[in-house]
Amino acid sequence: KLEKVVAPKPYEGDTDPPKPRVKVTLMNKKNETITREYHTVMFAMGRNPNTGDLGLNTTHLPEQHESGKLYTLPDGRVCSRNASLALSTFPSSTFHINWGMGEAHFKNRFIYAVGDCVYGVPELTPVAIAMGEKFARRMMKHEDDTMEYGWVESFIPTTIFTPIEFGSVGYTEEDAIAKYPPGEIEVYCWDFQTMEHAALHRSRRRYKDEYSKDLGNNCLSKIICVKSQAHRCIGFHFVGPNAGEVTQGFALALIARAKKKDFDRLLGIHPTDAESFASTTGMVKMTKTTGNSYIATGGCGGGKCG
């Protein structure tokens, strides 16, 4: 469970096997105390933009977010919150500033912001670099290309680099179900063990030693599709080794509006974890709505043997 905006207090726990538990006491912004027990506790810290000392208050900026982030138009110009929300859904290729919306919204026509200091922008280095490059081309080459930085709709890939990595692009299953009408979302899954683990750790070994055990499945592949759009894929998720590499490649498929039938046409590279998304695996038939099991028993990595 992820607890946001909390301040941890001293914690206590029993680290003795087989079931270590850590009791954690947290305090939120309302000074409410929360106490829970966990198996593992990790600390994560975020950051806020250092915009307080830039003298923006002397430029009559309409407003800033409480974090210090700035509201901008798609072309990077700083604006009011209302203007940013009103124009955030405009396609970048057809975007034109409507000055008739009110001078107060666009009082600073020559103050721009790019990167992590912009409200609503994913705090990712490639996003900030792309925004800066596009801004430079708009200023120096008079191009009109703007950055589409909506986390979901722009299919910006990202990966959490934990020991077993987690990569994702597009909608989560929960967000997709919330956005589309009931029954519109189909989820395809495949739960399996990476080839490296399967080859080295087997429960049925001729000579028993410390490696004679089954480590269990450590990979999960999932794609999320919209039925009414010919099963267009709007979400891609992979948990497993080198998830960043796998996710980077498949992100292009979502940007190109790939459908489930395109994944079914794909032939896998055997044996790899990435082939779990190809037609050679059980992902073609195993869906969460059918009630069938999507947990692999045997096989070679993400594929099938024989």
Side-chain angles (χ1 to χ4, degrees):
K1 183 177 178 58
L2 181 64
E3 302 287 358
K4 295 183 179 180
V5 194
V6 294
K9 291 186 174 183
Y11 58 90
E12 58 185 23
D14 179 13
T15 58
D16 293 332
K19 294 182 179 180
R21 305 290 290 180
V22 179
K23 182 182 293 185
V24 181
T25 301
L26 307 169
M27 181 173 293
N28 59 21
K29 280 188 173 182
K30 299 179 181 179
N31 292 325
E32 297 172 339
T33 300
I34 304 172
T35 301
R36 292 192 177 96
E37 287 189 350
Y38 303 91
H39 289 291
T40 303
V41 177
M42 297 187 297
F43 294 90
M45 295 182 292
R47 60 191 184 274
N48 288 329
N50 188 18
T51 57
D53 298 329
L54 295 179
L56 297 176
N57 58 313
T58 65
T59 63
H60 305 290
L61 277 175
E63 58 185 315
Q64 292 177 245
H65 189 262
E66 60 179 6
S67 65
K69 294 194 174 189
L70 305 175
Y71 298 104
T72 67
L73 301 174
D75 68 349
R77 270 178 272 199
V78 176
C79 66
S80 72
R81 176 179 181 273
N82 290 336
S84 177
L85 294 177
L87 298 177
S88 62
T89 56
F90 279 38
S92 60
S93 59
T94 60
F95 174 76
H96 298 283
I97 295 178
N98 179 11
W99 297 106
M101 289 186 66
E103 185 69 18
H105 293 305
F106 309 100
K107 201 164 187 177
N108 300 281
R109 301 187 183 186
F110 303 104
I111 299 179
Y112 295 82
V114 297
D116 293 357
C117 67
V118 178
Y119 179 75
V121 171
E123 294 181 352
L124 299 171
T125 299
V127 174
I129 292 174
M131 292 179 70
E133 291 176 344
K134 291 175 182 292
F135 170 75
R137 286 194 288 268
R138 289 197 302 271
M139 293 295 101
M140 307 307 295
K141 293 187 177 182
H142 305 288
E143 297 180 1
D144 59 359
D145 187 20
T146 58
M147 181 67 190
E148 297 179 3
Y149 51 73
W151 182 282
V152 174
E153 297 294 349
S154 297
F155 298 113
I156 297 174
T158 187
T159 296
I160 301 174
F161 292 99
T162 43
I164 298 297
E165 298 177 11
F166 168 45
S168 64
V169 187
Y171 284 89
T172 65
E173 180 179 349
E174 293 77 11
D175 289 343
I177 292 174
K179 178 179 175 62
Y180 290 89
E184 271 287 274
I185 298 300
E186 186 70 277
V187 180
Y188 297 83
C189 295
W190 191 238
D191 186 301
F192 60 97
Q193 186 178 74
T194 188
M195 184 68 176
E196 289 84 348
H197 285 191
L200 296 178
H201 300 268
R202 296 183 180 274
S203 57
R204 297 180 180 178
R205 292 168 57 96
R206 183 176 181 181
Y207 301 102
K208 299 295 183 180
D209 55 24
E210 66 270 24
Y211 300 108
S212 302
K213 58 183 177 180
D214 184 6
L215 296 182
N217 292 347
N218 64 328
C219 296
L220 174 66
S221 300
K222 175 192 286 189
I223 57 175
I224 300 164
C225 303
V226 182
K227 293 180 181 179
S228 63
Q229 299 180 22
H231 279 75
R232 180 171 74 93
C233 183
I234 62 170
F236 174 98
H237 305 273
F238 176 66
V239 177
N242 304 306
E245 303 290 348
V246 175
T247 305
Q248 181 70 85
F250 278 101
L252 181 60
L254 271 68
I255 293 175
R257 302 177 67 85
K259 300 177 174 61
K260 182 61 173 64
K261 65 179 181 180
D262 298 314
F263 281 84
D264 294 344
R265 293 169 54 198
L266 178 66
L267 293 179
I269 301 174
H270 186 71
T272 62
D273 296 331
E275 71 171 317
S276 57
F277 294 95
S279 63
T280 52
T281 70
M283 178 174 278
V284 176
K285 298 181 180 180
M286 304 302 182
T287 69
K288 296 186 73 172
T289 56
T290 61
N292 296 331
S293 174
Y294 52 88
I295 299 177
T297 55
C300 302
K304 294 180 178 178
C305 297

